[in-house]
Amino acid sequence: MKRSRILAAVSILLATAPSASRAQAVVAAPYPAASPAVEAAWRARVDSLLARMTLEEKVGQMTQVTLGVVAARGTPHRDSVRLDTAKLREAVVTRHVGSILNVEGAALSVPGWHDAVTQIQRAAMRDTRLGIPVLYGIDFVHGAGYTRGGTIFPQNLGMAATFDTALARRAGRVTADEAYASGLPWNFAPVLDVGRQPLWPRFYETFGEDPVLAAAMGRAQVLGMQGSGRVAATLKHYLGYSNPRSGHDRTPAYMTPREVRESYLPPFAAAVRAGALAVMVNSGEIDGEPLHASRYWLTDVLRGELGFDGVVVSDWQDILYLHTRHHVAPTPKDAVRMAIDAGIDMSMTPYDYQFADDLTALVREGAVPESRVDRSVRRILTMKARLGLFEHPYPDPLAAAEFATEASAETARRAARESITLLKNEGGVLPLAKDARILVTGPAAASLTALNGGWTYTWQGRDASQLPDGPRTLLEAMLRRGRDVRYVAGAGFDGEADLAAAGRAARDADVVVVAVGEDAYAETPGNIDDLTLPEVQLRLVEAVQAAGRPVVLVLVEGRPRIISRVADGARGIVMAYQPGMQGGDAIADVLFGDANPGGRLPFTYPRHANALTTYDHKPSEALSSDGGPGGFRPQFELGAGMGYTTFAYRGLALGAAEVRAGGTVPVRVTVENTGRRAGDETVLLFTHQRYAAITPPVRRLRAFRKLALQPGESRVVTFDLSTDDLRYVARDGRPVLEPGVFDVMVGGLTASFTVVAGASPETGAAGAAR
C-alpha cells in the first residue's frame, strides 16, 4: 500500500476499528476472495472481451438506464412489468447498455422480477455479439423494499440506534439474499453519509451524526451484503452529500477538505477496506465543486488514497446536471468529458442514450483517450465476473426459498425492538398496564407508511394501497395487547381532524399515547424549512395534555422534529424512528413492557429549530449568552436512552498513564445491572483532548460495546484505545497526533492519560507524535 493511502486509510480510519470496540470489531475477510485460478480466469475473460469490443460496445457498458426505458407503456405494473420488445432490443442489442436499474412505479413480486430480468438477460446473452450480461441495480436501502413481501428493516437511523454491528451485518445478509432471490445482483446501499444536518430529507437514511458509529455500522452491512459473493454493495453518496447548508436535498455543502476528511470520509474508507465493489457519487457539491466533476475526490482520494478499485456510478441524471443545474459545463458533451475525467465509470443517465453518443464522439475527437474508457469497462466487466453473471446471468428459481423466511422476519422484529429508544419515563409511566384505559391518538398511530418511510414499495413510500396487509400499525398492535384501548384520530400529519374529540376522550383515559411525527418521504419531496413539529400535531398534544392525564409521546419520524413546546408536559417520550414493517408490534411491545427498550439516540436531538449543534461541538459552542456554561442544551444528547432497569458504572481504570505514538491504552470499566429486569446497555467510550493546535471538540466517540445483563449481573468491559484513534485531521489534510493530556469518559466516569513525544519501541520514528 502506498504512503498516500496510509495517510487516509490507516491514520484517519483506524478510528473506525474500535467503533464497535476492538474486541467486537469485525474481523472477517472482505469480499469473498477467489482462488488465484479463478482470478486469472476473470482477467482472461475481461481481457478477451475488451480486445474484441468496439468503441460503441464499450461505451454501452458504461451506460445505465431505468427500467422505464424498456417497459411497455399503458399497462399496470403492480406485480410484474411488461417489457417492450423493440425498446429492449434497442437498449441491449443496439446500444449495448451495460446496466438497468429501478422499478417502474412500484414493487414487483419475485416472479415478476424473474420474468423481467430473464427477458433482459436473454436479449443480452442470446442476441448480442459478445453475450455480456446486464447488471441490474436496485435501491434496497432498508431491506427488500422493491420486492413484494420482502423483509423490511428499520431505516438506517433506527439501525444505528441499536449500536449492534452484528445485527447490522445480519440485516445486510438478509437484504442481499432477498435481492439475489429477486434476481437483482447490485444493491445501491448502504448509505454512508454522516447525518449532521437534521433538516436534510435523507437524514433517516444515515447512521447518525458520528463518523465512528457510521463507519462501524456501514462496514458491517457491507460485509453482510457481500458475504455470499452474489450481490454487490454500493457505498453512497460519496462524499459530503449530507451536509447541505440549506438542509435541502441536492444543494451545496460548504466545508473545508479538513472537515470533509474528519467527519464524512471515515465511513467510506472503512467500507472500502471491507471490500465494497461499487461507489455512488454525491449529487451535490462541496465548496462550489460538484462531486461528479471532482477529480480530487473521485480519483486522487477515492482511488489514490483509499485504494478503491471498483465501479464508480453516477447518481440519477447527475452528469447532465453538471450542465443544466450546476452550470460548470457549457454543454452536455462537456459535462460527459468532465465526469469521465473526474473518475466516473458508469452514468445513470437514466432516460436516454445521449451520454453514450457524447462519450463516443469525445473519444473519436481525441478529447477522451480510449484507454480511459477501457479502464472503466474493465472495472464493470470485472464486477460482473465477480458476481458470477457470465456463468449464471438468469435469476435462480431455487433462491426463492431464501426470500421472506421466518428467520428473516425475526431479524427484522429484533432490529425494530432494539432500535426503540426510551427518552423520558417520568414517574414510571411506562410500561403501560394492560388493563389500563388507554387512548391512542395522533397521525402516526394508524399509519403503516409512516412506520416504513421512503423507499418502501414506491419511491416516496406514501402509497398505503401498495403495502401488504399483514404488518400491523401501532394502533392495531396495541389493540391486540391492551384490554381497553380506544382510538381517536385527533389530527393528520399536516391537516386538522378533531382536536376537541381527542381532548374529551383523554379525560376518560388513564393514560394517553400520542403518536406524532412524519409520513413517508424521500429525497427532494421531503425538503422542509423548519424542523418544528407541524402546528396541528403540537396542538393535538396540548389538547390531550390539558385533560390532566399522563401523556406518552411516540415519535415516528425520519429526523428530529422540534417538540420542546410539549416535551415538558409529556410523562413519557419514545423515539421510534421509522422501524419498518415490524415497527407497530415493536413499539407496542416496548409500551406494554413485553420488551425492555435498549436503543440509544445516534444523533443530537435539538431543542430549537436553529440550535443544530452536534455532540462533538467546540468548547465555545457550549457557552451561554453571558459567556458562562449552559449554551449547549439539546432536547436529548447523542447516546440518550433508558430502559426498564438501571445500570451502574464503577472502577474506570486505564492500563497506562503515558503512551507514545503507536501504543495503546487499555481501558476497563465494570458495568452492573442494578435493576430487576434483564436489559441491554450500550457502553460508550468518549475521549477529550484538552489542548490542540486546532480547537478540540468537547468529546468524541471512540468505541462502543453493547451488553446484555441479567438483574444483579456485572461485567468488566475492556477496550484497547490506540493512539491512532486519537489523531485528528490537521489543516494540511493529514492526520496528526499531538502530545498532551487526554480524558477518557465512560458512563459518567473520567480518567486521564498523557501522550508523550516520540514513538513506542514497536513503531519507530515514523509513528512519532508531533
Side-chain angles (χ1 to χ4, degrees):
M1 180 177 286
K2 297 179 180 177
R3 177 175 173 78
S4 61
R5 295 181 187 176
I6 294 173
L7 291 174
V10 176
S11 299
I12 296 177
L13 303 169
L14 279 178
T16 64
S19 57
S21 87
R22 293 196 181 276
Q24 191 184 341
V26 179
V27 295
Y31 191 81
S35 68
V38 172
E39 292 273 3
W42 289 343
R43 287 194 298 271
R45 183 194 291 273
V46 171
D47 289 343
S48 174
L49 286 170
L50 269 174
R52 291 180 286 150
M53 293 173 76
T54 65
L55 176 60
E56 288 76 11
E57 288 169 331
K58 294 175 183 177
V59 169
Q61 287 297 307
M62 298 172 65
T63 303
Q64 184 182 62
V65 297
T66 187
L67 180 61
V69 169
V70 300
R73 298 302 179 189
T75 56
H77 303 296
R78 182 171 179 88
D79 293 316
S80 61
V81 58
R82 184 167 64 86
L83 303 187
D84 184 309
T85 304
K87 291 179 179 179
L88 178 60
R89 183 171 181 83
E90 180 187 12
V92 176
V93 180
T94 304
R95 290 291 190 161
H96 319 289
V97 162
S99 181
I100 296 177
L101 81 153
N102 210 16
V103 294
E104 180 64 2
L108 304 182
S109 64
V110 170
W113 275 122
H114 281 210
D115 180 62
V117 173
T118 296
Q119 291 182 64
I120 292 167
Q121 298 292 35
R122 185 178 295 124
M125 304 305 291
R126 296 183 181 179
D127 299 340
T128 64
R129 186 174 69 91
L130 296 174
I132 299 175
V134 170
L135 183 58
Y136 207 107
I138 197 71
D139 288 284
F140 279 5
V141 297
H142 68 128
Y146 282 133
T147 301
R148 295 189 180 277
T151 304
I152 304 296
F153 291 94
Q155 297 280 0
N156 278 354
L157 196 63
M159 290 298 298
T162 71
F163 280 80
D164 191 333
T165 54
L167 183 58
R169 183 170 181 170
R170 178 59 190 157
R173 180 57 183 263
V174 169
T175 300
D177 286 346
E178 296 192 1
Y180 179 76
S182 303
L184 308 172
W186 189 7
N187 189 21
F188 299 142
V191 173
L192 296 185
D193 305 302
V194 180
R196 297 170 73 83
Q197 165 52 290
L199 271 170
W200 190 49
R202 307 191 74 166
F203 187 79
Y204 66 83
E205 296 182 54
T206 77
F207 289 113
E209 73 182 42
D210 181 74
V212 168
L213 174 60
M217 299 296 284
R219 174 180 167 83
Q221 281 209 345
V222 168
L223 289 168
M225 286 181 191
Q226 296 192 163
S228 69
R230 305 180 301 187
V231 172
T234 307
L235 316 180
K236 66 181 190 183
H237 308 80
Y238 181 89
L239 177 71
Y241 181 35
S242 55
N243 193 31
R245 179 178 290 175
S246 70
H248 288 193
D249 190 34
R250 287 173 161 80
T251 59
Y254 297 91
M255 297 184 287
T256 64
R258 192 196 76 78
E259 182 180 355
V260 175
R261 287 177 175 271
E262 188 78 76
S263 297
Y264 298 90
L265 186 61
F268 289 94
V272 166
R273 291 192 299 141
L277 294 183
V279 164
M280 185 182 292
V281 182
N282 168 11
S283 297
E285 59 187 65
I286 298 176
D287 197 23
E289 182 180 42
L291 267 291
H292 281 79
S294 177
R295 184 173 179 83
Y296 173 73
W297 289 114
L298 295 185
T299 297
D300 296 349
V301 176
L302 179 61
R303 296 202 187 277
E305 293 185 20
L306 273 59
F308 179 67
D309 61 359
V311 173
V312 174
V313 61
S314 82
D315 206 340
W316 193 269
Q317 215 170 354
D318 277 335
I319 292 179
L320 179 62
Y321 285 155
L322 295 176
H323 168 63
T324 61
R325 179 178 290 174
H326 298 291
H327 298 274
V328 295
T331 68
K333 190 174 176 181
D334 287 314
V336 172
R337 175 185 52 78
M338 294 173 69
I340 296 302
D341 181 66
I344 300 291
D345 294 316
M346 181 181 287
S347 173
M348 189 186 293
T349 63
Y351 299 114
D352 56 35
Y353 308 105
Q354 188 61 47
F355 164 83
D357 292 341
D358 286 340
L359 183 52
T360 300
L362 287 165
V363 174
R364 296 205 187 282
E365 294 164 4
V368 173
E370 188 167 356
S371 60
R372 168 64 189 88
V373 171
D374 288 349
R375 287 198 295 275
S376 288
V377 176
R378 180 179 295 279
R379 294 172 188 135
I380 293 164
L381 296 178
T382 298
M383 186 161 80
K384 292 181 178 185
R386 282 184 174 275
L387 295 172
L389 290 178
F390 286 100
E391 295 80 13
H392 306 287
Y394 300 105
D396 181 357
L398 299 180
E402 301 176 23
F403 186 82
T405 65
E406 178 52 37
S408 297
E410 176 53 36
T411 301
R413 281 192 290 271
R414 177 185 163 198
R417 286 194 299 266
E418 286 194 26
S419 73
I420 306 301
T421 305
L422 179 58
L423 295 172
K424 184 178 182 181
N425 193 18
E426 186 178 290
V429 66
L430 295 174
L432 302 173
K434 293 187 178 180
D435 58 355
R437 294 175 300 168
I438 301 168
L439 172 66
V440 178
T441 186
S447 174
L448 192 59
T449 57
L451 292 177
N452 285 281
W455 307 103
T456 310
Y457 281 53
T458 61
W459 173 41
Q460 292 298 303
R462 297 185 79 154
D463 187 350
S465 69
Q466 294 285 346
L467 300 184
D469 295 329
R472 286 183 280 272
T473 65
L474 171 59
L475 172 62
E476 291 166 340
M478 293 191 69
L479 286 168
R480 291 173 64 93
R481 289 162 174 77
R483 298 172 190 167
D484 189 356
V485 176
R486 309 165 192 181
Y487 171 67
V488 174
F493 287 101
D494 293 295
E496 190 166 331
D498 193 342
L499 304 183
R504 288 193 300 270
R507 289 194 288 271
D508 294 328
D510 296 321
V511 63
V512 182
V513 174
V514 191
V516 296
E518 302 180 307
D519 203 354
Y521 55 88
E523 301 190 82
T524 302
N527 285 347
I528 57 174
D529 294 310
D530 187 351
L531 275 172
T532 305
L533 191 70
E535 178 66 18
V536 66
Q537 296 189 56
L538 291 171
R539 288 174 57 199
L540 170 63
V541 178
E542 289 172 333
V544 297
Q545 287 177 339
R549 299 294 186 264
V551 172
V552 175
L553 296 183
V554 176
L555 308 177
V556 182
E557 55 190 15
R559 55 195 157 192
R561 305 306 295 260
I562 305 299
I563 59 169
S564 54
R565 190 167 120 192
V566 296
D568 288 346
R571 294 274 297 277
I573 300 177
V574 175
M575 181 64 174
Y577 313 94
Q578 292 162 320
M581 293 292 181
Q582 308 293 333
D585 284 315
I587 301 169
D589 283 343
V590 167
L591 292 177
F592 283 107
D594 296 323
N596 190 356
R600 295 295 179 265
L601 203 63
F603 60 89
T604 304
Y605 202 117
R607 185 180 298 270
H608 306 290
N610 292 326
L612 305 182
T613 306
T614 55
Y615 88 97
D616 52 350
H617 54 274
K618 299 303 179 73
S620 59
E621 295 177 283
L623 299 178
S624 63
S625 57
D626 62 4
F632 180 65
R633 294 181 60 251
Q635 195 74 57
F636 304 104
E637 294 197 31
L638 179 142
M642 60 184 73
Y644 299 143
T645 189
T646 55
F647 295 92
Y649 288 71
R650 65 176 184 273
L652 175 63
L654 307 182
E658 294 184 349
V659 65
R660 298 178 185 273
T664 60
V665 177
V667 180
R668 58 184 290 145
V669 66
T670 299
V671 182
E672 182 181 0
N673 182 344
T674 55
R676 298 180 179 180
R677 287 190 60 164
D680 293 340
E681 172 70 349
T682 298
V683 182
L684 305 177
L685 186 154
F686 299 90
T687 66
H688 168 233
Q689 185 173 359
R690 294 188 184 177
Y691 298 94
I694 291 177
T695 54
V698 296
R699 59 176 182 158
R700 290 187 62 179
L701 182 67
R702 299 301 189 183
F704 60 86
R705 177 81 62 80
K706 189 164 187 175
L707 307 176
L709 296 177
Q710 296 296 315
E713 182 183 4
S714 64
R715 191 173 304 171
V716 176
V717 181
T718 61
F719 302 93
D720 288 323
L721 186 62
S722 167
T723 54
D724 287 322
D725 303 332
L726 306 175
R727 297 179 185 272
Y728 69 85
V729 179
R731 293 184 184 89
D732 62 3
R734 299 188 178 197
V736 59
L737 173 69
E738 292 180 339
V741 178
F742 288 77
D743 299 315
V744 176
M745 297 165 283
V746 183
L749 306 175
T750 301
S752 303
F753 67 93
T754 302
V755 173
V756 297
S760 67
E762 293 80 9
T763 62
R770 64 180 180 89

